[in-house]
Amino acid sequence: MNQPAPNFYHPAPRSQQFCSQCGHPLTRETPPDDNRIRDLCTHCGAVHYQNPRNVVGVVPILGNQVLLCRRAIEPRYGKWTLPAGFMELGETTEQGALRENQEESGARIQVQSLYTVVDVPSVNQVHLYYLAQVLGPELDPGPETLEARFFDLDRIPWNELAFRTVSTTLQHYVKDCQQGLFTTRHYAIDIRFPD
Ligand code: ZN
């Protein structure tokens, strides 16, 4: 019996036209003993799998404020975000979060616990945010950031945030601050129709 498809499942878009191993044109079909459509090379038999990508970032806290960055790049140019980005090969999630913070805010931070895991299966991504202590007010944002700024929690620009994963994580943080208890939380959201 076939497994039921996950709620958000849709075939990954074709990633490439030709086989990276032999150069033969690829076909789109379900390989034997598989249950999903793949990019398949009928010449050498290679199956070109596509898998979700990880986005890693931090919730940088200084006293009662959170550090946000205003994006200097698309998508969502000019919107506010937490420092975050795609993981690079060869690094841990924590190292990736540190690197992204360094690139986007330049703040000196100490990474603490993993805080939110946000599945976004509609775009084949998993976002992981760490809580981080900011060690000083000095900032040095890089070219991907128009400006970096500390916000009081009641001044977070909710209507000017770049991504639902960011607002989900910040809502979780504000709620935890109100309760005085900080817990790691898992979310799954659908952003096929970004708001
Ligand atoms: Zn091939």
Side-chain angles (χ1 to χ4, degrees):
M1 292 291 287
N2 289 334
Q3 295 285 325
N7 286 340
F8 294 101
Y9 175 67
H10 55 87
R14 181 191 288 279
S15 62
Q16 54 198 41
Q17 293 285 338
F18 298 97
C19 178
S20 56
Q21 295 190 19
C22 77
H24 200 267
L26 295 173
T27 61
R28 296 277 284 168
E29 58 184 273
T30 303
D33 303 322
D34 201 340
N35 59 4
R36 296 185 181 220
I37 294 170
R38 312 283 186 188
D39 285 333
L40 179 67
C41 178
T42 56
H43 186 250
C44 76
V47 181
H48 298 271
Y49 295 97
Q50 294 186 69
N51 301 99
R53 295 200 290 173
N54 290 333
V55 171
V56 290
V58 291
V59 186
I61 302 300
L62 180 63
N64 296 318
Q65 296 186 309
V66 61
L67 174 60
L68 300 179
C69 297
R70 203 153 77 85
R71 290 171 63 80
I73 53 172
E74 297 290 352
R76 308 301 170 89
Y77 181 98
K79 301 292 187 185
W80 292 93
T81 187
L82 291 163
F86 287 107
M87 262 180 104
E88 297 285 1
L89 301 180
E91 66 186 6
T92 66
T93 53
E94 183 175 333
Q95 288 167 341
L98 264 171
R99 176 184 52 73
E100 289 291 342
N101 172 73
Q102 182 60 42
E103 292 172 4
E104 295 182 5
S105 84
R108 289 184 302 115
I109 61 170
Q110 183 166 17
V111 172
Q112 300 174 319
S113 59
L114 181 63
Y115 192 55
T116 57
V117 176
V118 188
D119 293 338
V120 197
S122 53
V123 292
N124 302 311
Q125 295 175 3
V126 180
H127 293 230
L128 300 100
Y129 282 95
Y130 286 84
L131 273 183
Q133 189 73 41
V134 180
L135 302 176
E138 308 82 16
L139 302 175
D140 182 21
E144 295 181 8
T145 301
L146 292 172
E147 60 177 314
R149 196 198 296 172
F150 292 97
F151 286 88
D152 291 335
L153 297 187
D154 59 1
R155 295 289 175 88
I156 289 173
W158 295 106
N159 295 326
E160 294 296 315
L161 295 178
F163 304 109
R164 285 256 313 269
T165 51
V166 171
S167 56
T168 296
T169 295
L170 286 172
Q171 285 165 8
H172 180 49
Y173 182 73
V174 169
K175 190 174 162 195
D176 276 3
C177 282
Q178 290 164 351
Q179 296 178 345
L181 181 65
F182 296 86
T183 55
T184 304
R185 177 99 188 257
H186 169 248
Y187 294 90
I189 62 176
D190 181 0
I191 56 167
R192 275 174 295 185
F193 307 103
D195 51 13

